Amino acid sequence: NAGVMQNPRHLVRRRGQEARLRCSPMKGHSHVYWYRQLPEEGLKFMVYLQKENIIDESGMPKERFSAEFPKEGPSILRIQQVVRGDSAAYFCASSPWLGYTEAFFGQGTRLTVV
Amino acid sequence: QQQVKQSPQSLIVQKGGISIINCAYENTAFDYFPWYQQFPGKGPALLIAIRPDVSEKKEGRFTISFNKSAKQFSLHIMDSQPGDSATYFCAAPRRLTQGGSEKLVFGKGTKLTVNP
């Protein structure tokens, strides 16, 4: 059983471009959480999704950021018109149910905006 | 904004020593207290966790001590090894909505260096 897979591992985008980050949860996991980590900081919650539903996006910036978790395929975190402040590591975690007792994090996508 | 305050920010210990990292929380509704270990370039990995109905949990060289009245919990690493050098995060889940959504509130992390 593979772990949580995130790709790409590293992503470089110019200001104004779009960034698409993918997260494939562990087999049997239908709950996905996205977190952002700034340098020297802890992780900050962004959004919680179940298949085809956004359950809670209270941590998402109001503009330029969106997330989806379709019935088939990985969860996608999309950042439009990236700015330098979006540079961070983005982690997703998946769980078979609500809560973190059996949640596993992926290796993250490190986004650099130049 | 509910917070989890972690200290120290960095810690250097000698091989074989005891590493102690502390966290304080505000929200009494937290009911699960995990510690995560993160190596450079990797995602956080669950190390050990405790529920507030017990005061201590031990797994190998790692122990969580929980003080409910003081709203504090700490991680003790006995016989610290160079391979333990990593960043450690305490966290607590917070229920966000009546529907049961949760988020983990993380401390800012402690960078542990164990010298050989």
Side-chain angles (χ1 to χ4, degrees), chain A residues 15-32:
Chain A
R15 282 179 293 172
Q17 291 184 321
E18 178 179 284
R20 291 168 62 95
L21 289 63
R22 297 176 189 79
C23 170
S24 296
M26 290 180 68
K27 187 177 181 180
H29 287 195
S30 59
H31 299 247
V32 167

Side-chain angles (χ1 to χ4, degrees), chain B residues 90-109:
Chain B
C90 60
R94 188 167 79 84
R95 200 156 289 256
L96 290 168
T97 69
Q98 290 183 344
S101 171
E102 286 191 346
K103 71 172 184 179
L104 274 177
V105 180
F106 281 85
K108 291 194 173 185

Side-chain angles (χ1 to χ4, degrees), chain A residues 9 33 35 37 40-45 48 55-56 58 91 98-108 110, chain B residues 9 32 36 38 40-44 46 51 89 93 95-97 99-109:
Chain A
R9 292 291 310 279
Y33 308 82
Y35 283 78
Q37 184 177 34
E40 309 300 323
E41 294 282 328
L43 285 77
K44 295 284 196 288
F45 170 82
Y48 162 49
I55 305 301
D56 194 308
S58 58
F91 293 95
L98 172 66
Y100 292 88
T101 55
E102 296 292 334
F104 294 89
F105 280 84
Q107 303 254 45
R110 278 146 188 85
Chain B
Q9 195 171 12
Y32 171 70
Y36 287 84
Q38 186 179 30
K42 303 293 185 182
L46 179 63
R51 293 199 180 275
F89 294 95
R95 200 156 289 256
L96 290 168
T97 69
S101 171
E102 286 191 346
K103 71 172 184 179
L104 274 177
V105 180
F106 281 85
K108 291 194 173 185

Side-chain angles (χ1 to χ4, degrees), chain A residues 31-101:
Chain A
H31 299 247
V32 167
Y33 308 82
W34 283 92
Y35 283 78
R36 177 165 61 177
Q37 184 177 34
L38 295 170
E40 309 300 323
E41 294 282 328
L43 285 77
K44 295 284 196 288
F45 170 82
M46 298 184 75
V47 62
Y48 162 49
L49 309 103
Q50 294 180 23
K51 286 282 187 180
E52 301 184 277
N53 284 303
I54 297 174
I55 305 301
D56 194 308
E57 55 182 348
S58 58
M60 290 271 274
K62 298 297 182 190
E63 298 176 350
R64 303 187 298 108
F65 285 72
S66 62
E68 62 179 14
F69 188 16
K71 185 177 180 180
E72 301 291 337
S75 175
I76 305 288
L77 179 66
R78 183 183 292 110
I79 311 172
Q80 297 178 304
Q81 300 176 338
V82 295
V83 301
R84 288 242 173 93
D86 297 333
S87 296
Y90 293 82
F91 293 95
C92 76
S94 75
S95 175
W97 47 68
L98 172 66
Y100 292 88
T101 55

